Amino acid sequence: SQTIHQWPATLVQPVGSPLSLECTVEGTSNPNLYWYRQAAGRGLQLLFYSIGIDQISSEVPQNLSASRPQDRQFILSSKKLLLSDSGFYLCAWTPQGGTGEQYFGPGTRLTVT
Amino acid sequence: QQQVKQSPQSLIVQKGGISIINCAYENTAFDYFPWYQQFPGKGPALLIAIRPDVSEKKEGRFTISFNKSAKQFSLHIMDSQPGDSATYFCAASHRSGGYNKLIFGAGTRLAVHP
């Protein structure tokens, strides 16, 4: 069966510091991968999606970037965090060629102080 | 056109009652309509989903009703339990640029009182 992991689970970082969040998927090959952000009590905002290694698209311009160094690994990064980067970051995957179902990871709670 | 409008924003139901959450969309290209359940501090979990070729799908106490002509769909939770207290998101999806893009509603916070 497929499993999606995210780490760290929680993170507190000062403004201006770098960021690296990692997501890995097990039990599938060549998945589509997604990064979302969820502000407190709010909906989900799609940040990046990837249909393959080094194939990444950004949904909204922002202080973040994403990379996919391996087939089942997706990384969210920032060089300098802003207070507004605080939130709950979720990674998700869909089967390549799938029919719409999207599966989410456990999330990372980021607090920028 | 890409929006999915969800209501109500919050809902309080007594144990054993029926919880109903509604969503509406505009884009007729959407071809997959899932519902997600999210508990505090957890990632959303796929609960149930429907495609526009059927008007209803039932899984246990959860039912999706789909009205293609009205471009509306709803989630019904029968015999609601305190353990159902969570935030529910509807979504709509269509394939674009080699991937399935999910558009989420704003969410409904459900509280089931014992």
Side-chain angles (χ1 to χ4, degrees):
Chain A
S1 64
Q2 300 83 14
T3 310
I4 180 169
H5 302 279
Q6 286 187 246
W7 61 87
T10 61
L11 191 60
V12 180
Q13 292 282 90
V15 169
S17 64
L19 173 73
S20 180
L21 303 181
E22 189 168 341
C23 169
T24 59
V25 181
E26 296 178 352
T28 187
S29 296
N30 199 23
N32 289 342
L33 297 171
Y34 308 80
W35 278 112
Y36 289 86
R37 178 169 58 203
Q38 186 176 32
R42 304 289 295 276
L44 292 94
Q45 178 187 32
L46 179 63
L47 303 175
F48 299 94
Y49 65 91
S50 171
I51 62 173
I53 293 176
D54 295 330
Q55 299 180 71
I56 298 167
S57 298
S58 172
E59 278 291 299
V60 292
Q62 57 211 318
N63 186 40
L64 302 168
S65 61
S67 61
R68 185 171 176 174
Q70 299 180 43
D71 178 44
R72 291 170 291 170
Q73 184 185 32
F74 205 22
I75 296 173
L76 184 68
S77 303
S78 174
K79 292 182 179 179
K80 289 186 177 182
L81 283 169
L82 306 172
L83 283 174
S84 58
D85 291 323
S86 293
F88 192 45
Y89 287 83
L90 291 155
C91 182
W93 74 278
T94 61
Q96 185 63 249
T99 52
E101 62 276 20
Q102 195 165 124
Y103 303 99
F104 285 84
T108 295
R109 173 74 60 191
L110 171 66
T111 303
V112 182
T113 61
Chain B
Q1 263 198 340
Q2 285 288 75
Q3 283 187 331
V4 176
K5 296 182 179 180
Q6 183 172 347
S7 63
Q9 190 173 14
S10 62
L11 181 62
I12 298 174
V13 173
Q14 294 298 314
K15 179 182 176 181
I18 302 174
S19 305
I20 302 174
I21 304 171
N22 301 297
C23 285
Y25 65 97
E26 290 293 327
N27 189 347
T28 55
F30 290 141
D31 58 6
Y32 177 75
F33 301 87
W35 284 89
Y36 285 84
Q37 179 189 58
Q38 185 179 29
F39 293 105
K42 306 294 184 183
L46 180 61
L47 187 62
I48 187 173
I50 198 168
R51 299 200 180 275
D53 53 344
V54 297
S55 60
E56 186 176 282
K57 183 174 182 179
K58 182 176 181 179
E59 290 184 2
R61 296 185 293 110
F62 300 90
T63 300
I64 300 179
S65 297
F66 187 83
N67 187 329
K68 188 175 181 178
S69 60
K71 291 185 282 188
Q72 295 176 346
F73 59 109
S74 59
L75 176 69
H76 292 63
I77 306 175
M78 312 299 289
D79 187 26
S80 298
Q81 299 297 313
D84 297 330
S85 298
T87 299
Y88 292 82
F89 293 94
C90 65
S93 170
H94 67 94
R95 196 159 182 84
S96 174
Y99 80 109
N100 295 92
K101 182 172 184 175
L102 266 182
I103 309 298
F104 284 89
T108 296
R109 186 170 294 184
L110 171 66
V112 181
H113 289 181

